[in-house]
Amino acid sequence: MDDGAAGAAMLKALRKRRGLSLAETARALISIAERLGQPRTSLPSIAGLQRSVARWESAHPTRPDERHQLLLAHLYGRTPAGAVALGAGSDFAELMDALTHLGESAAQLAMLRSVLVRAATEQGGGMLALLSTGVQAGLAAAMADPSRTDDNLVTGLAGVVSDVNAQVSSLPFVRLQLMLAPALEACRQLLTGPLPDELASQLRGVSVAAHTLAGRLAFETRDDTASRGLYAAATREAGLLPDPWRRATVHMSHALTTLYSTHGLDGARQLVDTAVRDARTGGSVVVRARAHALQAEIAARAGQRRQAEAALGLAWFDMERDHSGDPSATSFAAGHLRGFEGVCQLWVGDPSLAHDRFAASAAVLSAPREQVQRAIVRTDQALARIRMGEPRSAAELLHECLLTAASTGGRVPAIRLRRARQELRPWRREDWVADLDDHLMDVLGS
């Protein structure tokens, strides 16, 4: 069976498991479309939609278009009893697998998942929506008796942390905090119980990721005291794991929040230098590349051109190596490193080169999760235009960056935007600067 036929078979099995006929499926999808506010005149007839469902399940299937994928996602994103269920083993997870077999892109599937997660949180749902029914039961039992923790539960909690992380840029940070908090507390309680060493190590890895993400979210909501405490907890947990690359990731995330929540570079520099030491002895070449890239940025901000160039060289050396089997292979890529190159050129090099590096980086930062980073890169690109003597072009780009900042709510893009505006002071009497100020006031309130 080829991929398309496999996807069609999965869709058919999903429908039959729900006990739905073709006509009943069509009626259910039309009912969902009406509930979502789609105009009745734009909806197909039941007979027409029934034929479409049959084509999706045929021996030579067609793939549902984006509109029908959304309706299917809402149908299978809830159990027959009406509860939201998006975790591993759910009908929604099987729908995602079916659409993958039918050739749908990862970006479209990520968008569908974001829509369903947003819908779940808007209706009061949270972490449990990201867990399968079996894992929910296992979690309840383990919270009463941590010795009942098993592989499925640890995998489910890891999936929750990964899902919440994937929604950065898609959902408000406060809402992400509410979704993450139960998983964070579950990790804390379960690690107090007597667990086999291997299972305890796996759960501790989930705890490190959860505390690190929670530290980032607390920073985004301007609770810097809580953020520091969460990073400290993540550092302690990571120190109990055998491979120091995890502790390096904690230090790097902490360094970035420190850079934007304190004056001066000393605090961030100390964290970055510690991350580099851990990364050099760790098992992830990708994490090592990222640590050197961040070290290069700190050096450039301090005006240390030679040190910045040396650290960038080490980052590229690691970035261009074979990453197969790397435990953090997808966390950092060449597009991200181009952005760090741009920052270094902006501070201790040629602003025109910085502009080109930022453009190259922004071009590949297209995933929903990367929109905060893309807003940062594009704002820095506007700053490069100012320093190239093109302030009006920079202002035009900053309008675009403001739209992204408004949609993501990121704290760092807002800080970078204000700093870029400060460099436009020589042109403050120009109408186009006044327009930018109005836009800044509308979006950021300053």
Side-chain angles (χ1 to χ4, degrees):
M1 186 180 296
D2 63 25
D3 274 359
M10 293 171 74
L11 286 178
K12 187 172 185 177
L14 264 177
R15 175 175 62 79
K16 288 186 171 295
R17 191 160 65 238
R18 290 287 182 104
L20 296 172
S21 68
L22 291 172
E24 288 169 335
T25 303
R27 282 194 287 270
L29 295 179
I30 289 175
S31 176
I32 290 169
E34 291 174 338
R35 191 173 73 242
L36 294 178
Q38 296 186 8
R40 188 67 184 86
T41 55
S42 70
L43 300 177
S45 64
I46 291 176
L49 189 49
Q50 180 177 333
R51 288 192 293 272
S52 295
V53 175
R55 285 195 295 271
W56 303 335
E57 300 177 1
S58 68
H60 301 286
T62 60
R63 185 173 72 232
D65 61 22
E66 291 183 3
R67 179 189 181 195
H68 289 113
Q69 286 180 25
L70 178 62
L71 300 179
L72 288 168
H74 278 278
L75 173 62
Y76 292 120
R78 291 183 177 275
T79 66
V84 177
L86 310 176
S90 65
D91 285 353
F92 179 80
E94 189 163 343
L95 171 65
M96 296 295 100
D97 286 342
L99 293 175
T100 299
H101 282 296
L102 288 168
E104 190 50 79
S105 69
Q108 167 65 8
L109 297 180
M111 185 278 293
L112 281 175
R113 188 171 191 83
S114 292
V115 168
L116 268 292
V117 171
R118 178 180 287 273
T121 58
E122 286 174 348
Q123 295 165 20
M127 184 189 85
L128 294 182
L130 305 178
L131 294 174
S132 66
T133 304
V135 174
Q136 289 181 33
L139 176 61
M143 292 295 280
D145 179 5
S147 66
R148 299 179 66 177
T149 305
D150 59 17
D151 286 330
N152 286 336
L153 176 53
V154 174
T155 300
L157 289 173
V160 169
V161 177
S162 178
D163 271 334
V164 174
N165 187 45
Q167 301 310 315
V168 171
S169 298
S170 300
L171 290 175
F173 289 109
V174 172
R175 199 179 297 182
L176 296 178
Q177 284 181 306
L178 294 173
M179 293 179 68
L180 182 64
L184 195 67
E185 185 58 29
C187 288
R188 288 170 176 164
Q189 291 194 33
L190 297 179
L191 281 170
T192 65
L195 301 175
D197 288 345
E198 184 176 351
L199 191 61
S201 181
Q202 293 174 12
L203 182 58
R204 183 159 282 114
V206 178
S207 179
V208 170
H211 279 85
T212 304
L213 177 57
R216 157 80 187 282
L217 297 178
F219 161 80
E220 295 288 2
T221 55
R222 292 169 173 74
D223 190 346
D224 294 330
T225 300
S227 179
R228 288 190 293 270
L230 288 160
Y231 279 120
T235 302
R236 288 193 300 270
E237 291 292 313
L240 298 174
L241 294 171
D243 194 324
W245 73 264
R246 290 182 183 274
R247 191 167 56 193
T249 64
V250 178
H251 290 319
M252 284 188 285
S253 181
H254 193 187
L256 286 169
T257 62
T258 300
L259 182 63
Y260 291 100
S261 59
T262 60
H263 295 292
L265 299 173
D266 289 345
R269 180 188 288 110
Q270 291 173 11
L271 287 164
V272 170
D273 289 345
T274 304
V276 169
R277 287 195 294 271
D278 281 338
R280 284 175 177 168
T281 57
S284 173
V285 175
V286 172
V287 167
R288 198 179 313 153
R290 184 181 170 208
H292 281 128
L294 192 51
Q295 191 176 49
E297 175 174 348
I298 297 297
R301 287 176 177 273
Q304 299 168 337
R305 179 170 185 168
R306 184 177 299 177
Q307 292 91 328
E309 290 175 347
L312 273 179
L314 291 171
W316 275 114
F317 174 77
D318 289 325
M319 196 76 258
E320 292 170 349
R321 294 173 61 183
D322 181 12
H323 301 153
S324 56
D326 192 297
S328 190
T330 61
S331 64
F332 191 70
H336 299 97
L337 186 48
R338 291 292 182 198
F340 281 97
E341 277 190 325
V343 170
C344 291
Q345 288 290 340
L346 188 64
W347 285 91
V348 292
D350 183 341
S352 64
L353 290 177
H355 183 275
D356 293 344
R357 297 296 187 275
F358 289 136
S361 179
V364 297
L365 296 173
S366 57
R369 175 64 175 76
E370 296 172 327
Q371 292 315 294
V372 169
Q373 184 61 35
R374 190 174 191 277
I376 294 169
V377 168
R378 293 286 275 171
T379 302
D380 284 348
Q381 186 181 5
L383 191 56
R385 289 185 184 181
I386 296 172
R387 296 181 183 178
M388 291 164 61
E390 301 175 10
R392 186 161 189 167
S393 174
E396 292 171 358
L397 182 54
L398 288 174
H399 279 288
E400 175 192 319
C401 297
L402 274 165
L403 294 175
T404 305
S407 64
T408 62
R411 182 177 176 184
V412 176
I415 292 171
R416 298 279 255 263
L417 280 162
R418 291 187 179 101
R419 290 180 181 174
R421 169 60 184 87
Q422 288 173 1
E423 295 219 9
L424 287 173
R425 283 176 178 170
W427 299 275
R428 61 185 178 278
R429 299 187 187 280
E430 299 288 344
D431 290 343
W432 44 270
V433 175
D435 290 341
L436 179 63
D437 286 341
D438 289 342
H439 199 177
L440 275 164
M441 182 62 70
D442 290 342
V443 172
L444 303 180
S446 62

